[in-house]
């Protein structure tokens, strides 16, 4: 199981909570948490998941909620 931490840009704590909830349901995500104060998102991928396509789906999902959402690294 692969875990990665991404530096993100998100505008408000409420948006971070909404994005976290929605992104957790993306297929290929085993677990996901966003820490608004540090602007970090920790993603645990399901075994065998294609990281890049999972991240694309996470970003698409996040941008529906918070259009300014960005992954910085």
């Amino acid at each position: 199981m692969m875990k990665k931490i991404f530096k993100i840009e998100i505008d408000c704590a409420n948006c971070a909570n909404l994005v976290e909830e929605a992104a957790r349901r993306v297929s290929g995500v085993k677990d996901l948490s966003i820490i608004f104060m540090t602007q970090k998102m920790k993603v645990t991928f399901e075994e065998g998941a294609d990281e890049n396509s999972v991240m694309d789906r996470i970003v698409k999902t996040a941008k529906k909620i918070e259009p300014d959402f960005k992954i910085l690294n």
Side-chain angles (χ1 to χ4, degrees):
M1 162 174 21
M2 170 80 80
K3 284 183 187 177
K4 278 202 166 170
I5 295 176
F6 299 89
K7 182 87 178 115
I8 62 169
E9 191 175 294
I10 194 157
D11 293 339
C12 71
N14 187 48
C15 299
N17 290 336
L18 294 171
V19 167
E20 181 181 85
E21 263 177 48
R24 269 194 188 138
R25 294 192 294 266
V26 168
S27 83
V29 173
K30 186 170 175 67
D31 192 33
L32 183 143
S33 60
I34 292 176
I35 301 152
F36 177 70
M37 294 301 287
T38 59
Q39 297 278 298
K40 290 201 164 79
M41 176 174 71
K42 183 164 63 176
V43 182
T44 305
F45 298 93
E46 286 179 356
E47 205 62 55
D50 175 16
E51 241 178 79
N52 291 331
S53 64
V54 172
M55 288 310 297
D56 286 346
R57 289 193 297 271
I58 288 172
V59 170
K60 273 187 193 142
T61 300
K63 283 186 175 287
K64 285 180 193 163
I65 297 161
E66 170 54 82
D68 293 336
F69 178 87
K70 283 187 194 84
I71 293 182
L72 303 174
N73 57 331

